[in-house]
Each structure stands twice: as C-alpha cells, then as structure tokens.
Amino acid sequence: MSVGIRHDDLRRRNRAMVISAVRRAGHPSRTEIAATTGLSHSTISAISSDLIQEGILAESRGSETVSLKRGRPQVGLSLNPEAAAVLALVLSLNFLSVAVIDYAGQVVAEEQRRLDTLTMSRDELIGECVAIVRRRLEDPDLDVQSVARIALAIQGITDSHARAMLWSPITPQTNIAFADILEDEFGIPATMENDCNMMAVALRWRDPDRYRDDFIAILLSHGIGMGLVLKGELFTGTHSSGGEFGHMIHRPGGALCRCGRRGCVEAYAGNYAIWRNARQLSENAEPVADVSDADMRALAARARETDGPEREAYRKAGEALGFGLGSLFALIDPAPVAMVGASAAAFDLIEPALREAIAQTAGGQHSGSISFDTEPNELPLIREGCAMRALSFVDQEIFAPGVQARGGSAGKNVA
Amino acid sequence: MSVGIRHDDLRRRNRAMVISAVRRAGHPSRTEIAATTGLSHSTISAISSDLIQEGILAESRGSETVSLKRGRPQVGLSLNPEAAAVLALVLSLNFLSVAVIDYAGQVVAEEQRRLDTLTMSRDELIGECVAIVRRRLEDPDLDVQSVARIALAIQGITDSHARAMLWSPITPQTNIAFADILEDEFGIPATMENDCNMMAVALRWRDPDRYRDDFIAILLSHGIGMGLVLKGELFTGTHSSGGEFGHMIHRPGGALCRCGRRGCVEAYAGNYAIWRNARQLSENAEPVADVSDADMRALAARARETDGPEREAYRKAGEALGFGLGSLFALIDPAPVAMVGASAAAFDLIEPALREAIAQTAGGQHSGSISFDTEPNELPLIREGCAMRALSFVDQEIFAPGVQARGGSAGKNVA
DNA sequence: CTTTATTTTTTCGAGCCTCGAAAAAATACT
DNA sequence: AGTATTTTTTCGAGGCTCGAAAAAATAAAG
C-alpha cells in the first residue's frame, strides 16, 4: 500500500526534480527549470542555491551565452562533473568492459578484457568482475570517495530487484548475486541490470523525441533479447527482468532453441538459428555456441546475392520476429521498434517477411505505420544505459535522499 | 515529464490516502489509519475531522465495537453512503445492465435488459444506454445531484484514455465514444472500460490476499479476454485497453478466428472454437455467432464421459491457452491466474493440456506452482469492478480535487 | 553617456501543512 | 473511587512553497 506523503518528502522530491531537469536539458536557466517543473521561481531559486552550495550543480556562466534578447541574461545551470562518479560494467559473451563516468555523464576512463565466459568457473567470473572494478578504483586519477554507484549489465535474466543474475547464455553458472558481491567488496551501492533494458534506457536518452513513453528495443544477436518501455517506465517481469521476447513461442513443438525448449522465436531468429537454417541443417540440430560476426556478414551477403537457403533462413527469421511482434502488439499495441545488434545490419533481409507476418496478426492493423530503426552496435548503447541508470540513482538517492532505499527495483524510473 | 509537487498537493494526496484507507479497511480507527498511511496521528485527526464535517466520512460508533482492551475505545470511521452515488453499466452480448451504487459501495438499485446487440444500429445501441441511465436517474428515490460518476464496461477494445469503444465482438459498430456521449447527455463524468480489466479490478477488491500486485484474469467465454494487473497497476496498451491475450498467435496460419485472422489463441479456446472442433468441422469453418451456455455444458459433459472429439476439442483449447500463457509468462513471469466465465466450469477438461503446454515454455520452470482459480460467473465481477473503479475516481477527484483532471487514463491506479 | 525598458533572479512575508509533545477523553481494572 | 491504559485532540514549532516586490543585469533609445 502506498504510504502518505510526509512534509519533508516535498523538498526531497522537488530537489530530485530539479536535478533531473538539469540532467535532461543540459544547461537550463532557473526560469526554464521553473517552466518545466511547474514550480515557482522562488522555489527553484532556493533549491538551486542549495544544490550549488553543496557542489552538485554549478553555474555555467559566460561560455556560449550569446544573449540576443535584452534584459538580464539567463545563467545556465549544469551538473558539477566532480560531484560524483559511477562505474558502468558490461559483461557479455567472452567480453568484459568497464567505464568510469563523471557526474555530468562524461567517460573519464575505460578498460576492456577478453574472457572465455563459457568455460570460466563461478569464482573466476566473479573474480574478473571484482578485479576490473578494483583496478579502476585504484587509478590515482580517480577520487575513490566520489564513486557513488556501480551498474553491471549482463546478457541474460536478472531478478526484478536488480540484485542478481539468474540465468545467462554466456555462462553455465546461474544465480550469481553480483550486486551484493560488489557492494560487499567495495562498499559502493551496485545494481545488476539486464543488457537489453539498458539499451532501452540509452535509446531514451539519445533520442527522446523518437523513444519517449512507449517503445521496443530488440537485440538481434546470437540470441534475441528485448528492452521495453511502456508509459515511460522500463518494463520488467514480476520476479525477473522479464521481457524474454526471444522465448515467446513461435511454433509449438518447433525448432530446438538454445534454452532447450522448442519453437521459441529465438530458435528461428537468433544467429545460430539463421546459421542452422542457412546450412539446411535439421531444426533439431544442436545450436552452435557462437557464430562470428564475419560469418554472419558473409551469410547476409550470400542471401542478398542469390535466392538460396541463406535468403530463406532470413525469411524464416523475419517470420518468427513478425509473429512474435504481432503477439506482443496484441498485448501492448504497436510501438516504435529499434533493432539493435550485428544482425540489425541484415534487417533488409528480415523486414519483408517480418512485415508480411505482422500483417497477419492483431497488431497488423497499422502494420504499415510501424517504424523500424536499426543500430548495429549494441555495446556502446548498453554501456551508456548503464551509466545513465547509475547516475539517475545517484540523482535520486544520494542528492535527494530518503525517497527510495538502496538498490531500487529495476522497474521504476527509467534511468 | 513529471511535474513538481506543489504545497497544496500535499493535503490533497493525503486526503485521498485517508479516504482510500477507509474504503479498503471498512471501519478503521484513526489510529489504524495513521499506522497504514505512515502519517502522524495529528494529521489523520485533522484530515478526518475535515472529511466528517464535509459529510464524506462518518463515525460509526457503538455498533459492534466490543472493546476488549481497556483504554479509550477506538471509534471506527466509515464512508458516508449518502456522500455520492455512481452508476455501473455493463454492456455485453445481447445484454445491458446498470446498477446504482452508493458511496459506501452498496447496490441501491439495478435494472437489466435483453437486447439484440449484433443487429442493432449505432444509434439504437447508444439510445439504449442513454435510456437506461436516464431511467435510473429519474428514480425518485435517487438524489440526482449525488451521482458523481458513470462507468461503462464493454466486451471489446477500448481506447487507453477510457473514452471510447474502438471495436467489440458484440456489435458490428466501431468507434463509439460512449464516455463523451454520456457526459454530454447527463453532465456526469463517465469512463469507458474494458470488461476484463474490470474483472481484474473486482478480483483485487474481493480477495486482496490472493490478487494483489501481479495477477491475470482470463475470461473463457465465446471469445477470450484478459485483464492484467502488474506491479499493482492495471495493465493497458499504449493506445487501447490492450491485453488482447485471445489474439496472440498460437499457430501461424492456423485456425480461423472470429477476428478474421488465423491461428489466434481464441480460434482454439473460444467457445465457438471448442464447438467447431467438437463437431469435427474444418478449422476454416466460419465461427458461429453464439453457443448457448447449455450447449457448452452438454459438450463438457460429453467430454467428461467419453474420449471423443469433444474431449479433444477441450484438449486443443488447453494447449492453445497453455502456449499463450507460456508466451505471456516469458514477458511478465508467472503470476496467479483466475479463469472466469462459463467455460471456467469446464476447466477440469482444459487444465491437463494447459499445464502440459506451459511446461514446454519459458514460463514452465515453475509450472507446477502456478495456481489457477475458477469463477464461472463473470457478470457480477464486471459490475463490481465498474463500481469500484467509479468510486475510486470519486475518491480521488471529487473529494480530493486537483490530483488528476477528468477522465483519467485507464492505466493508472487500479480502482 | 545616461536613461528607459526588459528579463532574470533573489528576497521576504504570508499561508499551509505535518509533526511531536502534552493534554483531554473515555474506558477497564483494582 | 482511584489508577492505568489507550485513543483522540490541541497547540506551538518548524519547513516548505508561493506571490509580490525588489534587486540585478543587460539591450535599446535618446
């Protein structure tokens, strides 16, 4: 049950609102903030004066303030980069990357490592993550005290409290409470995020005009993932990160999926599935562990060239994605879609069958008007999403304390 | 973008919170309200004193206050039944019903009418709705001034702003802005709701222990509908009421659905589909307009008796529902399910195949632990949901004004 | 170069709201 | 009849936002 609003919550919330207005707008003046938040000028003045004194905001006077209007010029407020820092970790197949981001959102340091995630033990996997964080924290250029948050994104299913990885295709290990492990190790609040959810968060920051309240980010990669924003909030399952679009059932009892079940969308549209179909292997053939990007590019090239099994494989992928999206649209109505990942570069091969399939579904009423965007590079997107999510936590918790406790559900407030 | 909190919003929100605490608890004392809302005793005292003076709450002293404890006895607060009244309209196949409900939630009058919705013209349909409301409002026992809300539920798709019916299986008419029509006619705020959503709302009020933050209500009837509550809020689509579970795709290109498409869940699990399969008709056979409840009961009886086409028809229905739920669970994770409607009485025939199918899907990991409840009578549930939704609007808007404007999105705040 | 107009930001008092502590009220126990 | 206990109200303190007015800072006009 929702709890009453105390008197002191008021200031906290309005402080958080001012901070988020500055983060969104870049260099808004106090007057602009008053307009977007609906609060009075006096309130904004009081709050921003506090925030400046606390070193959270800074006046960015001069600079490009070419005031053409007459009257007292506006003085822009900006985030003080030194107010805090966050770490964005991304763990994907055979790859671990970390970035240190200042409070204004600029990357100040980064590091990447190749691993063999599929064969690593539980302890090795945890050890690598802890080690890479430790190395960044030991960087003499970094004020350790200022590091206020760590966000770790992983390909796979996480719990809805953003504490643990439950299952992931990149490792046989399950149920690793990465967030708790990192918190215990470094004493810095941490969250465990799903990679596709972070893609969605990043898209929202990158292009708020296109990706605002309702949109879908689909990762076309070895597996199929999805990040979903509905009514302005990141969608998650009741217990896990949810949104396992790739494991909706396309054909009951159909092709063998990497997850061991049959007929999932991914069993037709994941890289391994396209590969399997292009090679004309049986639908029951064991999914291969990895297909290189180069191999997939070659496959796509051949599909574009001749009408052979490669083209048919992409057609089947499109069909599976189309019927899957159709079922999804039956539930949530159509929304803009971003296709992310290496195979998004082959979306030209996928789109015709996808649209044809979608037209046969409940979501197909407006199938013509559904727009697809492609973005072949998922990694920067995931990292950016992680960073923004961690920063939003800092905004809300550290600098406007008491609104939420530690951790925070993965569901509320798209970072 | 979310707007700042004004100083006067505080009182409004806390007033609304007190009212909703009373509605939920029945006869809570001021002390109990303070405990559940987290507000101080003095605040609750002040707010409830206001509300009593305004005739919204009343002290229900004496009655069954058998105080066993010593000390000053608690004095229970209750809703003043005369504070307001609402109308709950339910429009379903060939049937229109209305109930007048007082502010405390008691039905004070009702009326029902048989119609021939499938053949009625647009104006006739609207006319019947307006007429039945007018008759209730002209009832001399009713104080017209006190009627604060009308909620109309319909089987079919409504828009996400709760203004209009977009499409419905009970009539060939489309896009009727019932909410606006009723508001214009009577000058009373009205909303247009989806029937299955109202079922979910009602379940939440009836059994908050079982149906709290996440659950699914599925209507097994001529068609298949769903009401979904996620994270304590009624789930709706981005543009429409959404949640069209019945039109998720079970088998691409499969059986002919009433909606004209192929392979929808409903095309296997709706009454007409069970009927069609039991008669061993082609999957392409045109769906019949209606199957009587008696005929369905006879079908179920035969299915229980002998292992013939009737039993197979129910098996197919279970399979379709199972794979559909499996896909849904891939997105939202498993949650308690209530099976509502006449065919819920035949759930014993459906369940085995349903569980078998679900076990083959991503949601199947915990398939054993997913619990199904059945409730054969949907109509009282829909009416109750409508009533509670309308009353909640009154709570929030009329008696705690300014929090939201008129209408209200269908998505927020499960009534 | 001074004055005026314009726009942004700060200051200040008024009005609410919630809270904690103490008082008042109402009952059971001794 | 007095005491203990629990609920409810009262009252002053402290905070917050708001509107109006003042102050600040600049462009345009004379």
Side-chain angles (χ1 to χ4, degrees):
Chain A
M1 152 145 18
S2 59
V3 87
I5 302 177
R6 303 259 185 60
H7 199 219
D8 31 332
D9 291 343
L10 236 170
R11 218 346 151 35
R12 293 203 190 104
R13 293 192 189 210
N14 287 339
R15 275 170 64 103
M17 196 143 296
V18 169
I19 295 174
S20 101
V22 175
R23 189 174 291 288
R24 239 184 297 263
H27 297 278
S29 70
R30 292 167 175 79
T31 309
E32 281 167 356
I33 297 173
T36 61
T37 60
L39 298 169
S40 74
H41 288 190
S42 15
T43 302
I44 299 300
S45 182
I47 290 177
S48 51
S49 147
D50 283 357
L51 291 173
I52 289 170
Q53 204 148 28
E54 294 168 34
I56 296 166
L57 297 185
E59 294 193 338
S60 61
R61 53 180 349 121
S63 62
E64 76 283 33
T65 319
V66 190
S67 59
L68 298 163
K69 299 177 294 186
R70 69 177 177 180
R72 178 171 174 175
Q74 301 187 350
V75 34
L77 296 178
S78 58
L79 301 164
N80 177 7
E82 295 169 14
V86 299
L87 261 61
L89 251 75
V90 180
L91 180 55
S92 47
L93 187 64
N94 297 334
F95 194 75
L96 175 63
S97 89
V98 65
V100 184
I101 289 106
D102 69 26
Y103 188 58
Q106 296 302 307
V107 176
V108 293
E110 51 186 320
E111 181 182 341
Q112 307 185 340
R113 262 177 91 80
R114 297 224 138 264
L115 310 172
D116 193 359
T117 54
L118 283 169
T119 62
M120 287 170 78
S121 74
R122 187 185 183 85
D123 288 344
E124 284 171 331
L125 205 57
I126 295 170
E128 284 287 351
C129 289
V130 169
I132 205 169
V133 170
R134 191 182 308 285
R135 276 198 299 280
R136 294 330 318 164
L137 293 179
E138 284 170 353
D139 184 338
D141 294 342
L142 180 69
D143 173 17
V144 183
Q145 292 300 316
S146 72
V147 179
R149 270 270 170 191
I150 304 173
L152 166 59
I154 193 168
Q155 194 181 338
I157 301 174
T158 60
D159 74 306
S160 64
H161 298 99
R163 307 307 305 160
M165 173 208 89
L166 302 178
W167 178 88
S168 169
I170 70 162
T171 170
Q173 316 299 328
T174 56
N175 295 311
I176 306 183
F178 275 112
D180 295 327
I181 290 167
L182 292 174
E183 281 188 9
D184 291 347
E185 188 72 27
F186 300 107
I188 298 169
T191 55
M192 170 88 256
E193 311 283 356
N194 169 272
D195 60 341
C196 290
N197 285 348
M198 293 306 98
M199 283 174 10
V201 168
L203 284 171
R204 198 154 186 256
W205 281 101
R206 275 201 189 171
D207 189 353
D209 285 333
R210 181 174 163 80
Y211 304 110
R212 184 176 299 272
D213 288 342
D214 304 287
F215 65 92
I216 304 168
I218 292 185
L219 177 63
L220 300 177
S221 172
H222 198 63
I224 303 292
M226 177 176 74
L228 185 56
V229 170
L230 291 179
K231 301 185 178 71
E233 283 190 2
L234 198 54
F235 182 87
T236 64
T238 59
H239 300 93
S240 77
S241 46
E244 285 295 319
F245 174 72
H247 300 288
M248 290 177 79
I249 301 296
H250 171 45
R251 292 185 182 278
L256 182 62
C257 179
R258 193 170 47 155
C259 71
R261 289 177 287 263
R262 294 187 160 276
C264 304
V265 168
E266 184 179 299
Y268 297 87
N271 283 356
Y272 65 85
I274 296 173
W275 173 263
R276 185 169 59 187
N277 280 331
R279 292 244 158 162
Q280 294 182 288
L281 298 173
S282 156
E283 286 194 338
N284 303 322
E286 194 66 29
V288 297
D290 199 7
V291 185
S292 75
D293 283 359
D295 284 349
M296 288 307 294
R297 272 195 299 274
L299 215 62
R302 245 191 103 61
R304 287 192 190 93
E305 215 168 80
T306 63
D307 189 357
E310 292 85 2
R311 190 176 292 182
E312 175 64 10
Y314 277 105
R315 202 198 57 74
K316 281 185 179 168
E319 186 182 75
L321 291 169
F323 278 111
L325 275 177
S327 286
L328 180 62
F329 287 168
L331 297 175
I332 66 166
D333 299 333
V337 179
M339 293 289 182
V340 186
S343 282
F347 189 64
D348 56 316
L349 292 163
I350 292 171
E351 184 167 7
L354 188 155
R355 287 200 184 270
E356 201 178 311
I358 251 189
Q360 297 174 47
T361 69
Q365 302 157 28
H366 327 84
S367 61
S369 66
I370 301 166
S371 66
F372 294 94
D373 234 13
T374 59
E375 163 61 60
N377 222 345
E378 75 263 29
L379 225 110
L381 217 48
I382 298 171
R383 190 187 308 168
E384 200 174 315
C386 262
M388 295 319 294
R389 175 152 270 256
L391 288 172
S392 294
F393 273 122
V394 177
D395 290 349
Q396 285 170 38
E397 294 179 17
I398 311 294
F399 295 143
V403 177
Q404 274 187 320
R406 112 202 215 273
S409 87
K412 296 288 164 184
N413 296 322
V414 168
Chain B
M1 153 143 17
S2 58
V3 87
I5 302 178
R6 302 261 185 61
H7 198 222
D8 30 334
D9 290 344
L10 236 170
R11 223 334 150 48
R12 292 204 191 103
R13 293 192 190 212
N14 286 341
R15 275 170 63 103
M17 195 143 297
V18 169
I19 294 174
S20 101
V22 175
R23 190 174 290 288
R24 239 184 298 263
H27 298 278
S29 70
R30 292 167 174 81
T31 309
E32 281 167 358
I33 297 173
T36 61
T37 60
L39 298 169
S40 73
H41 288 188
S42 16
T43 302
I44 299 300
S45 182
I47 290 176
S48 50
S49 148
D50 283 358
L51 290 173
I52 289 170
Q53 204 147 31
E54 294 168 34
I56 296 166
L57 297 185
E59 293 193 338
S60 61
R61 53 180 349 123
S63 62
E64 75 283 36
T65 320
V66 190
S67 59
L68 298 163
K69 298 177 294 186
R70 68 175 177 182
R72 177 172 175 174
Q74 302 187 352
V75 34
L77 297 178
S78 58
L79 301 164
N80 177 5
E82 295 168 15
V86 299
L87 262 60
L89 251 74
V90 180
L91 180 56
S92 47
L93 186 64
N94 297 333
F95 195 75
L96 174 63
S97 88
V98 64
V100 184
I101 290 105
D102 69 26
Y103 188 57
Q106 295 302 307
V107 176
V108 293
E110 51 186 320
E111 180 181 341
Q112 306 186 341
R113 262 177 92 79
R114 298 223 138 261
L115 309 172
D116 193 0
T117 54
L118 283 168
T119 62
M120 287 169 78
S121 75
R122 188 186 183 84
D123 287 344
E124 284 171 330
L125 205 57
I126 295 171
E128 285 286 351
C129 290
V130 169
I132 204 169
V133 170
R134 190 182 308 284
R135 274 197 300 279
R136 293 333 314 165
L137 293 178
E138 285 170 352
D139 184 339
D141 293 343
L142 180 69
D143 173 17
V144 183
Q145 292 299 316
S146 72
V147 179
R149 270 270 171 191
I150 303 173
L152 166 58
I154 194 169
Q155 193 181 337
I157 302 174
T158 61
D159 74 307
S160 63
H161 298 99
R163 309 305 307 159
M165 174 207 88
L166 302 178
W167 178 89
S168 169
I170 70 162
T171 171
Q173 316 299 329
T174 57
N175 295 310
I176 306 183
F178 276 112
D180 296 327
I181 290 167
L182 292 173
E183 280 187 9
D184 291 348
E185 188 71 27
F186 301 107
I188 299 170
T191 55
M192 171 86 255
E193 312 283 354
N194 169 273
D195 60 340
C196 291
N197 285 347
M198 293 307 97
M199 283 174 9
V201 168
L203 285 171
R204 198 154 187 256
W205 281 101
R206 277 201 189 170
D207 190 353
D209 285 333
R210 180 173 163 81
Y211 304 110
R212 183 175 299 273
D213 288 342
D214 303 287
F215 65 91
I216 303 167
I218 292 184
L219 177 63
L220 300 178
S221 172
H222 199 63
I224 303 292
M226 177 176 73
L228 186 57
V229 170
L230 290 179
K231 300 184 180 70
E233 282 189 5
L234 198 53
F235 181 87
T236 63
T238 60
H239 300 94
S240 76
S241 46
E244 286 295 319
F245 175 72
H247 300 287
M248 290 178 77
I249 301 296
H250 171 45
R251 293 188 182 275
L256 181 62
C257 180
R258 192 169 47 155
C259 71
R261 290 176 285 262
R262 295 188 159 274
C264 304
V265 168
E266 185 179 297
Y268 297 88
N271 283 355
Y272 64 85
I274 297 174
W275 173 263
R276 185 168 59 189
N277 281 331
R279 292 245 159 161
Q280 294 182 288
L281 299 172
S282 157
E283 286 193 340
N284 302 323
E286 193 68 27
V288 296
D290 199 7
V291 185
S292 74
D293 282 0
D295 285 348
M296 288 307 294
R297 272 195 299 274
L299 215 64
R302 244 190 105 63
R304 286 191 191 95
E305 214 168 81
T306 64
D307 190 357
E310 291 85 3
R311 190 176 293 180
E312 174 64 11
Y314 277 105
R315 202 198 58 74
K316 281 187 179 166
E319 186 182 77
L321 290 169
F323 278 111
L325 275 176
S327 286
L328 180 62
F329 287 168
L331 297 174
I332 66 165
D333 298 334
V337 179
M339 292 289 182
V340 186
S343 282
F347 189 63
D348 57 314
L349 293 163
I350 292 171
E351 184 167 6
L354 188 155
R355 288 203 183 268
E356 200 178 308
I358 255 189
Q360 296 175 48
T361 69
Q365 303 157 29
H366 327 83
S367 59
S369 67
I370 300 166
S371 66
F372 295 94
D373 234 14
T374 59
E375 163 59 60
N377 222 345
E378 76 262 30
L379 225 110
L381 217 49
I382 297 171
R383 189 185 309 167
E384 200 174 314
C386 260
M388 295 318 295
R389 173 152 273 255
L391 287 171
S392 294
F393 274 122
V394 177
D395 289 350
Q396 285 169 38
E397 294 178 17
I398 312 292
F399 296 142
V403 178
Q404 273 188 322
R406 114 203 215 271
S409 87
K412 297 286 164 184
N413 296 322
V414 169

